[in-house]
Amino acid sequence: MKQKALKNQTETFIRNKDPKEVIVDDAQRLKEIREIVNSSNSSSLGDDLIICQIYMESRFDARSGEGVHSAKGLMQMQKNAVRQVYKYREQKSTGKMPGDKKTLELFSAADSFYESESMFNESDNVKIGTEYMQYWIDRADNDLVAVYKKYRGKENGVYYNKIKSCADKLKEQPDNMQLLRDMVK
């Protein structure tokens, strides 16, 4: 039985006979993330903790989650978390919980942001992600273990312990990417 070709090849594949080693300066990416966190951190959490959290969540990939799942960007924000931030902003601004009509307006604005390219903008993602962290900090009386359990949705505390340990080391060695790689092993 003769097999039929599924597709004709129209381009020629050229193999590089002299491959070159490419050196990636991931320490430079760490510096970029540090600058973004320093200017966009809207929480009382230290920058090193946020940097470790970002690496744990997205490995510093600003497009992380795109087209794969509902968590998006550096901090892997989900739609309900973004909605909560919008509602929390209103509560902080007015001193009271918004009514049903206002909540629907806020959720609509949050959904628009979540569906926009801004979710993948590094500064915007870190800002909203750290606002979400502050929301939990304010509700957990600064109990960071509880905060990270809420953020991650796991009750065992391992997530926080890993990033806290890494953040403590990163404080002493701010350009050491190996610390972050070791954290996710």
Side-chain angles (χ1 to χ4, degrees):
M1 174 194 238
K2 186 177 179 185
Q3 291 189 352
K4 191 173 172 182
L6 295 175
K7 185 176 178 184
N8 291 331
Q9 182 175 347
T10 57
E11 294 183 26
T12 305
F13 177 72
I14 300 171
R15 172 174 262 151
N16 183 350
K17 294 183 180 184
D18 186 26
K20 294 184 172 106
E21 183 177 333
V22 176
I23 298 172
V24 176
D25 184 6
D26 56 2
Q28 179 59 37
R29 182 63 175 148
L30 174 56
K31 288 176 187 173
E32 293 168 5
I33 293 293
R34 185 174 294 286
E35 288 175 15
I36 292 163
V37 170
N38 185 266
S39 65
S40 303
N41 185 355
S42 297
S43 74
S44 59
L45 298 170
D47 289 354
D48 290 313
L49 196 61
I50 297 296
I51 290 167
C52 293
Q53 179 179 355
I54 290 170
Y55 192 78
M56 180 74 87
E57 291 292 327
S58 66
R59 307 302 189 269
F60 295 164
D61 178 2
R63 309 280 322 168
S64 183
E66 184 176 33
V68 180
H69 49 72
S70 63
K72 295 181 178 181
L74 288 174
M75 293 196 70
Q76 292 292 277
M77 292 295 292
Q78 295 185 347
K79 183 187 276 188
N80 284 339
V82 174
R83 285 178 162 191
Q84 188 60 57
V85 170
Y86 274 67
K87 191 173 178 180
Y88 182 58
R89 285 176 182 168
E90 179 71 13
Q91 180 187 0
K92 283 174 58 174
S93 169
T94 64
K96 61 182 182 176
M97 288 299 289
D100 291 344
K101 182 179 177 189
K102 184 64 176 178
T103 296
L104 290 175
E105 290 173 17
L106 294 167
F107 284 180
S108 178
D111 292 352
S112 292
F113 175 81
Y114 177 81
E115 297 300 332
S116 76
E117 187 61 27
S118 293
M119 275 303 293
F120 297 105
N121 174 286
E122 294 175 333
S123 294
D124 291 345
N125 193 275
V126 169
K127 180 173 179 11
I128 201 150
T130 55
E131 281 184 86
Y132 186 61
M133 294 302 297
Q134 190 62 49
Y135 165 79
W136 286 115
I137 290 167
D138 292 347
R139 271 143 192 75
D141 294 325
N142 291 316
D143 178 355
L144 295 187
V145 175
V147 167
Y148 276 95
K149 285 179 181 180
K150 292 290 188 186
Y151 178 86
R152 190 67 176 149
K154 299 203 186 267
E155 292 298 318
N156 62 15
V158 171
Y159 180 82
Y160 173 73
N161 292 337
K162 281 185 171 186
I163 64 172
K164 172 69 169 109
S165 175
C166 185
D168 290 344
K169 295 172 190 169
L170 196 59
K171 192 172 289 191
E172 301 300 318
Q173 301 174 53
D175 299 324
N176 188 340
M177 272 299 297
Q178 189 60 46
L179 297 172
L180 295 161
R181 288 189 290 269
D182 290 345
M183 173 185 64
V184 296
K185 284 183 181 176

